[in-house]
Amino acid sequence: MSESEKILSVNNIEVIYDHVILVLRGISLEVPRGKIVAILGANGAGKTTTLKAISNLLRAERGDVTKGNIVFEDEEIQDSTPSALVRKGCIQVMEGRHCFEHLTVEENLMTGAYTRRDGSSKIKEHLELVYDYFPRLRERRSSLAGYTSGGEQQMCAIGRALMSRPKMILLDEPSMGLAPQLVEEIFGIVKQLNENEGVSFLLAEQNTNIALRFANYGYILESGRVVMDGEAGMLSENEDVKEFYLGVGGEGRRSFRDVKHYKRRKRWLT
Amino acid sequence: MELLHSIFIGPFADMFSDLSFLIQVLWEGFVQGTLYALIALGFVLIFKASGVFNFAQGIMVVFAVLALVGLYEAGVPAWLALILTIGIMGLLAIGIERVVLRPLVNQHDAILLMATIGLARFLSGAGQFIFGGENKAMITEELGLPTGSSEAEIFGGVVFFEHLDIAAVIIAGLLVAALAVFFSKTRIGRALRAVADDHQAALSVGISLNQIWAIVWFAAGIVALVTGIMWGARSDVSFALEIIALKALAVLIIGGFTSIPGAIIAGIIVGLVEKLFEIYWGSLLGGGVEAWFAYIVALIFLLFRPQGLFGEKIIERV
């Protein structure tokens, strides 16, 4: 992949929390411009930490990138600040939505434009654009975000990030706690944003099934390492991914004893 | 029987037998209350943005007026001294953010609280070192604040309204209105509220906490300066103000730590109640009630309504 085609590359980073806890042990990944890349894995695999390392939110939790580097738009960003990065065009939507509960939906969206300096008329225009993507938010624009439903909050969080005019959104677990229909709707909008607005996405998901349907490429993390990566189509056909992440056994039902046996024997080799 | 009479009947009989005196007492209490409200406002601003009870707010009031009077005494014209003092409060805010808050980010709340106590001691020492420890007279007239008083005939008696008190109430009102507009209408104000709601999320959308903290401490510094001027004009500029400022703690418990309207209303309630109690019931307890009565009211609130009158609504979706 040539330099200009990739918007983000993470090169062999190591993350340590509180000076002692090693969470990421040499992660490398790349996001091509205008694509959706998924990071998959179970709880504690390091998906969120990877995203926070990129967005520089890690330092607020006493985490630190101790090795490797992160390059966004041909600039090293691992020693930057979240606000500088948002200005550069990379913003994170945190896990669990994190809307400002005591602000209205519209005020929430407007906080997303905090770093913008291109005048209020441009921002107003952009606000309408966000409402076009999320018509539900337009209906709820004046209610407090804390009183809206989980799906609306997720939309509000994504819309808020959009208000910063990002080139890239780091989307952490958008499906968390939402009904399957809503998850489908939100992923649909993500796809539209990707295609119409050219926003690149790096998304962390536990819901492997839906993530692989919408993403172009995927990385699978296990205890702080990338154990497998490939085109989304290839991953969803892979026997091991089917077995461990998609919950479909290759050869029909198996007894638990066999599963354990199989797992013990299995070693990831990439 | 006599005791019951002097608690439940006597004072009310007194109140209604001399209505103009009652009005006078209420007015005094109201003015006192607005000043409490202003002090509490400084605390609320900082509490909302950084989640810490700022023990240094009281000394910031003293420091601000000492700087103002000190500059004037050094020969600076009053208006210039006022502007310079605002500048000093700005520098102080930036300094506090750099030296105290930034290194303590993400530490436990108690550590930040201790840091503000340390800051209070530092400011107190620095204030005495630079400006001296003796009481100073406020430069009321030089700042163009009115003096003298008007009297009005109400209910057949004479009620005095100090012009300074009227000015204090008006200025306090303007300051609160300005802050309210700032918070609800401006980009920075919205960011301040966002920070108060969720630090992490505020960081994630690119709001710089350092910048917001400096702004909040500066706003609290301005509020402190205004409070100090008003209070100093009513009495003297002295370090005793710091103790009075702690009464804001009672006000905050009653009004709720996170609510600006709460701080204002509770401030006025405290001012009125303690004045009434002092005048009409104080003699039962040998006087001096004003000094502690607010804390008793606060204790009662802690028992029955710990979030205060207007404490942050805890939003829970079911």
Side-chain angles (χ1 to χ4, degrees):
Chain A
M1 198 183 299
S2 80
E3 285 304 306
S4 62
E5 274 180 328
K6 60 186 178 197
I7 186 163
L8 176 86
S9 68
V10 173
N11 304 312
N12 204 19
I13 57 163
E14 193 175 276
V15 166
I16 295 186
Y17 276 117
D18 252 339
H19 302 293
V20 284
I21 309 159
L22 180 63
V23 204
L24 297 188
R25 307 188 273 184
I27 294 241
S28 297
L29 53 87
E30 278 174 3
V31 180
R33 191 179 301 278
K35 298 283 188 222
I36 302 179
V37 172
I39 307 179
L40 307 164
N43 284 330
K47 303 185 298 292
T48 298
T49 305
T50 308
L51 292 193
K52 284 191 169 163
I54 298 166
S55 65
N56 279 292
L57 285 174
L58 208 58
R59 221 157 299 137
E61 291 174 355
R62 286 188 253 173
D64 217 354
V65 178
T66 49
K67 274 188 197 150
N69 66 2
I70 302 170
V71 179
F72 176 72
E73 293 280 32
D74 304 327
E75 263 180 90
E76 288 205 11
I77 52 162
Q78 68 272 18
D79 296 315
S80 167
T81 62
S83 85
L85 201 60
V86 171
R87 259 178 265 133
K88 249 180 223 150
C90 176
I91 190 166
Q92 178 167 12
V93 176
M94 281 192 293
E95 181 180 12
R97 305 179 289 259
H98 283 273
C99 289
F100 303 118
E101 296 191 330
H102 297 89
L103 272 63
T104 64
V105 168
E106 182 149 326
E107 284 174 329
N108 263 279
L109 296 178
M110 292 300 286
T111 56
Y114 181 78
T115 49
R116 281 172 66 169
R117 293 275 185 279
D118 52 354
S120 61
S121 63
K122 282 256 175 63
I123 292 176
K124 279 271 150 59
E125 239 170 67
H126 203 185
L127 184 68
E128 288 306 315
L129 181 78
V130 171
Y131 280 142
D132 289 342
Y133 277 104
F134 300 100
R136 281 189 199 215
L137 294 184
R138 186 179 273 131
E139 284 165 38
R140 305 297 308 264
R141 66 203 297 172
S142 53
S143 43
L144 289 187
Y147 289 123
T148 58
S149 74
E152 285 158 350
Q153 290 189 2
Q154 185 64 61
M155 292 177 185
C156 180
I158 298 175
R160 186 175 66 187
L162 271 182
M163 286 300 290
S164 72
R165 282 204 136 155
K167 297 176 192 151
M168 171 162 193
I169 295 181
L170 310 167
L171 191 51
D172 197 353
E173 203 94 7
S175 73
M176 191 170 110
L178 299 181
Q181 264 168 313
L182 265 169
V183 173
E184 198 75 26
E185 186 179 341
I186 284 173
F187 269 88
I189 296 172
V190 165
K191 192 79 186 171
Q192 276 179 35
L193 288 169
N194 173 247
E195 282 166 4
N196 305 346
E197 309 293 323
V199 184
S200 312
F201 281 88
L202 178 59
L203 65 94
E205 255 304 340
Q206 288 197 44
N207 189 337
T208 312
N209 189 10
I210 193 156
L212 284 181
R213 267 203 294 126
F214 284 91
N216 305 104
Y217 201 89
Y219 290 85
I220 296 181
L221 259 58
E222 240 171 55
S223 27
R225 280 204 178 101
V226 176
V227 291
M228 193 180 216
D229 65 301
E231 298 290 330
M234 187 278 266
L235 283 180
S236 49
E237 289 308 313
N238 183 291
E239 288 302 318
D240 292 330
V241 176
K242 276 189 185 166
E243 169 78 20
F244 295 123
Y245 293 101
L246 295 173
V248 206
E251 308 115 47
R253 290 172 69 93
R254 253 200 305 260
S255 87
F256 275 106
R257 194 175 45 124
D258 293 338
V259 173
K260 273 173 88 179
H261 170 69
Y262 177 73
K263 271 201 157 174
R264 212 183 307 131
R265 213 157 48 89
K266 179 68 196 162
R267 285 275 190 277
W268 293 105
L269 292 172
T270 18
Chain B
M1 218 30 218
E2 197 141 304
L3 182 68
L4 284 179
H5 181 271
S6 63
I7 293 175
F8 293 108
I9 300 170
F12 294 102
D14 287 347
M15 279 182 203
F16 292 105
S17 65
D18 189 350
L19 280 174
S20 55
F21 181 65
L22 177 64
I23 300 276
Q24 183 80 61
V25 170
L26 288 176
W27 168 248
E28 302 272 331
F30 178 70
V31 174
Q32 188 91 346
T34 39
L35 292 177
Y36 287 151
L38 275 187
I39 295 183
L41 196 60
F43 283 97
V44 170
L45 283 175
I46 288 175
F47 190 84
K48 272 179 89 92
S50 41
V52 62
F53 182 83
N54 175 23
F55 264 98
Q57 186 68 24
I59 198 71
M60 270 165 71
V61 172
V62 181
F63 193 84
V65 273
L66 275 179
L68 177 67
V69 177
L71 282 169
Y72 179 76
E73 284 177 351
V76 181
W79 60 271
L80 187 59
L82 188 63
I83 293 170
L84 285 176
T85 310
I86 291 174
I88 290 174
M89 296 318 280
L91 288 179
L92 188 67
I94 293 169
I96 290 170
E97 191 276 313
R98 281 282 147 78
V99 181
V100 183
L101 299 177
R102 195 176 289 187
L104 293 179
V105 166
N106 290 317
Q107 300 291 336
H108 195 268
D109 286 349
I111 293 176
L112 269 176
L113 182 76
M114 295 301 287
T116 67
I117 294 176
L119 180 67
R121 283 358 300 150
F122 170 78
L123 284 179
S124 170
Q128 290 185 41
F129 180 70
I130 303 170
F131 307 108
E134 69 280 3
N135 291 6
K136 293 186 192 327
M138 187 64 215
I139 47 170
T140 314
E141 282 170 41
E142 291 82 349
L143 286 171
L145 291 171
T147 49
S149 66
S150 311
E151 40 196 84
E153 280 232 355
I154 301 174
F155 298 121
V158 180
V159 182
F160 290 93
F161 295 101
E162 297 268 351
H163 290 167
L164 182 69
D165 290 355
I166 298 172
V169 171
I170 292 172
I171 290 173
L174 289 177
L175 188 67
V176 169
L179 280 174
V181 171
F182 173 66
F183 265 91
S184 58
K185 301 285 176 219
T186 65
R187 169 175 153 273
I188 300 269
R190 208 160 40 222
L192 284 171
R193 284 187 298 145
V195 171
D197 237 30
D198 190 331
H199 280 200
Q200 278 263 322
L203 268 176
S204 84
V205 295
I207 295 170
S208 146
L209 287 186
N210 300 328
Q211 193 188 359
I212 293 296
W213 280 336
I215 292 170
V216 165
W217 280 73
F218 180 51
I222 302 272
V223 173
L225 175 63
V226 173
T227 321
I229 291 174
M230 292 308 164
W231 211 299
R234 283 163 59 86
S235 53
D236 256 336
V237 178
S238 75
F239 281 86
L241 272 179
E242 191 194 351
I243 307 298
I244 300 170
L246 272 188
K247 217 171 246 177
L249 184 58
V251 173
L252 289 173
I253 289 170
I254 295 169
F257 274 84
T258 51
S259 164
I260 290 178
I264 295 160
I265 293 170
I268 292 170
I269 290 177
V270 167
L272 285 175
V273 168
E274 71 176 20
K275 199 58 131 197
L276 280 176
F277 204 77
E278 167 79 33
I279 302 284
Y280 292 102
W281 283 273
S283 56
L284 283 175
L285 295 160
V289 185
E290 241 176 311
W292 52 262
F293 189 68
Y295 297 106
I296 299 290
V297 179
L299 272 181
I300 295 168
F301 262 85
L302 277 182
L303 282 177
F304 296 106
R305 204 178 155 79
Q307 79 272 39
L309 284 176
F310 300 88
E312 196 98 285
K313 270 186 234 139
I314 298 161
I315 294 184
E316 260 181 283
R317 291 190 308 117
V318 187

